[in-house]
Each structure stands twice: as structure tokens, then as C-alpha cells.
Amino acid sequence: MIEYGQFCPIAKASEVLGERWTNLVVRELGAGSETFNDLRRGLPLMSPSLLSARLKFLEAAGVVERSDSGKRIRYTLTEAGRELKPILLALGTWGQRWAPTRFEPKDLDPSMLMWDIHRSMKADYFGQHHTVLLFEFEDYTSKHRRWWLIVERGEVDVCMRDPGYDVDLHILTDVKSLTAIWLGQITFAQAIRRKLLKMAGDSQLKKDIHLWLGTNYFSSVKSVNPVRI
DNA sequence: GGGACTCGAGCATCCTATCG
DNA sequence: CGATAGGATGCTCGAGTCCC
């Protein structure tokens, strides 16, 4: 644990939250992740051993509650943890406005992007229709190239293997462009016009992509140093 | 087989003592 | 006072365990 040797409340808060990854674990829990594997999907570069250590630390600090139903272990935020939400949102707003975004390969992560998108998609748009969306990243050749989002009864599932259903809409793009759209750095219309995003399939889904895909929470915050795509 | 870890080796970074 | 070395600490990666 970091210790600053100061009574200042900011120092005390930093002793709890200042370690690497800690804020992002709280972010994931605040966004609705509850199981160890959900958290891993939202934090793909964090090792499981470190995630386990951080969860134990946050539990001891009174930020996270661990409950074991016998079937599976759930992690949820305590009242202290929930009170961090506006603080993290303020931190994110500051980051979107002031922190330089370079979109270098090390900052781009298709798994984190798809996990984030699947969580914020407007599932209500699809009603009771079973809908299959295939996202294909032209800049990836590995197992991370194709991602299926399956919408069913208000739930969205993300899949890295072909689930075997007919695809309603095929979206061909690259990770950098979709990240830029997701963060509000460029609009769908601009991306389509510049052929950074191409679609094949259901014409209504194509037309309404800006309605159902959603955007990152901070996308409306204007950056002082926007990136050039 | 999936979920939730745990362990150990190796590497990276940080901290502290020492030296010029 | 600043640079350096070496030990301590932290982190990742990969493999494995345990339980349901």
C-alpha cells in the first residue's frame, strides 16, 4: 500500500485509489461488472493475480463488497465505492478535455472497445428482434479481427467466435476509427464519408447506427487537443 | 468446462545509500 | 547536489489448482 505520511484527506484518498489499476477496477464495478471474469474482460491488460490483489485491497478498504452465493462470487461497490462515481466521472471529463490522446497502437485495444460498446449499446432499439451484428477490424489478422454482438430480449452479448447465426449487419472498420467515433472525435457521417467505416446488411440498421450503437459517456466533452484521424 | 483464483519465474521500476 | 548502483518492490505472463 502507498503511504504518504500525511493526514490530508487527499493523501488518504490517494492511499486507497492511487495504486495502478485501482481506479479502473472501481470504474468497471461502477459500470456493472460483477464477476471476476467480467472485470477481466473490461481490464484485458491487467493480470488476474493483480486483479485478485486489488479486489482484496479494496474490500479491506471498505470500497468493495464480496459476496459468495455458493454458485459464483460477486463483487459490488459499497456505499463508499458508489460515492466514488461522481469523482471518477469528473476525472474522466478532465481526461477527455485535457489529457493528450495519441491513438498509438498501445492505447488501442479491440477487446476493451467491444466490451465497452456492448455495455452501452441501446438494446431497447432492437425491441424483441434477435439481431446479430458483426464488427470486423481490417487492421487485425488475429483472433481479435471479428466480434459478434448478439442482441436478444434487451440483452447484448459479445462473442469472439462465430455463433453460427445469420448476420444482420456487417460493419467493416479499423480499431482506431471506431475508437475515434466511440470517443466522439469524429461522427458516424464523417467516418462513412471518408470510408473509415463501411456497412453491409439491413438498411434500417445502417441508417440508425448512431441511434443504437451509443457513445462513450465522455464523448460530448470537447478535447482541447483533438486527434487527427 | 467455466469461474476464481494462486504460484513462481523473470522483468521493470522505484527507492535508498553511497560516492565524487 | 547530482549521478549511480544495487536491493526491494511491483507487475506480467504462463501454468496450474480447486470447486461447482
Side-chain angles (χ1 to χ4, degrees), chain A residues 68-85:
Chain A
D68 187 348
S69 65
K71 209 171 179 187
R72 66 171 42 188
I73 290 160
R74 285 176 69 232
Y75 297 94
T76 47
L77 292 174
T78 60
E79 187 189 350
R82 289 192 297 276
E83 257 188 49
L84 286 169
K85 193 170 179 180

Side-chain angles (χ1 to χ4, degrees), chain A residues 17 21-35 38-39 42-43 51 55 58 63-65 75-89 115-116 119-120 217-218:
Chain A
L17 301 167
W21 293 106
T22 305
N23 279 334
L24 301 190
V25 173
V26 177
R27 177 199 73 190
E28 286 305 306
L29 291 163
S33 293
E34 288 193 333
T35 65
D38 278 354
L39 290 163
L43 301 162
L51 175 57
L55 287 168
L58 287 168
V63 174
V64 167
E65 192 172 25
Y75 297 94
T76 47
L77 292 174
T78 60
E79 187 189 350
R82 289 192 297 276
E83 257 188 49
L84 286 169
K85 193 170 179 180
I87 296 163
L88 290 186
L89 292 177
W115 186 248
D116 226 10
R119 211 161 38 191
S120 307
Y217 180 86
F218 303 104

Side-chain angles (χ1 to χ4, degrees), chain A residues 41-153:
Chain A
R41 283 190 199 104
L43 301 162
L45 298 182
M46 186 181 191
S47 68
S49 50
L50 188 58
L51 175 57
S52 169
R54 287 290 183 271
L55 287 168
K56 281 195 179 79
F57 175 77
L58 287 168
E59 192 188 357
V63 174
V64 167
E65 192 172 25
R66 184 182 192 271
S67 54
D68 187 348
S69 65
K71 209 171 179 187
R72 66 171 42 188
I73 290 160
R74 285 176 69 232
Y75 297 94
T76 47
L77 292 174
T78 60
E79 187 189 350
R82 289 192 297 276
E83 257 188 49
L84 286 169
K85 193 170 179 180
I87 296 163
L88 290 186
L89 292 177
L91 199 60
T93 300
W94 184 90
Q96 171 87 344
R97 183 172 294 131
W98 294 102
T101 309
R102 294 186 202 88
F103 281 21
E104 285 169 6
K106 66 178 172 59
D107 294 327
L108 298 169
D109 181 342
S111 31
M112 151 122 210
L113 177 65
M114 294 312 297
W115 186 248
D116 226 10
I117 287 176
H118 115 279
R119 211 161 38 191
S120 307
M121 256 179 57
K122 311 278 185 248
D124 292 349
Y125 168 89
F126 301 91
Q128 291 303 305
H129 291 283
H130 179 272
T131 308
V132 180
L133 308 156
L134 168 59
F135 286 77
E136 183 168 357
F137 295 119
E138 293 176 293
D139 50 339
Y140 274 74
T141 50
S142 66
K143 59 174 185 170
H144 291 115
R145 185 179 172 97
R146 292 186 185 83
W147 297 79
W148 286 263
L149 294 187
I150 301 143
V151 193
E152 194 167 21
R153 290 187 221 105

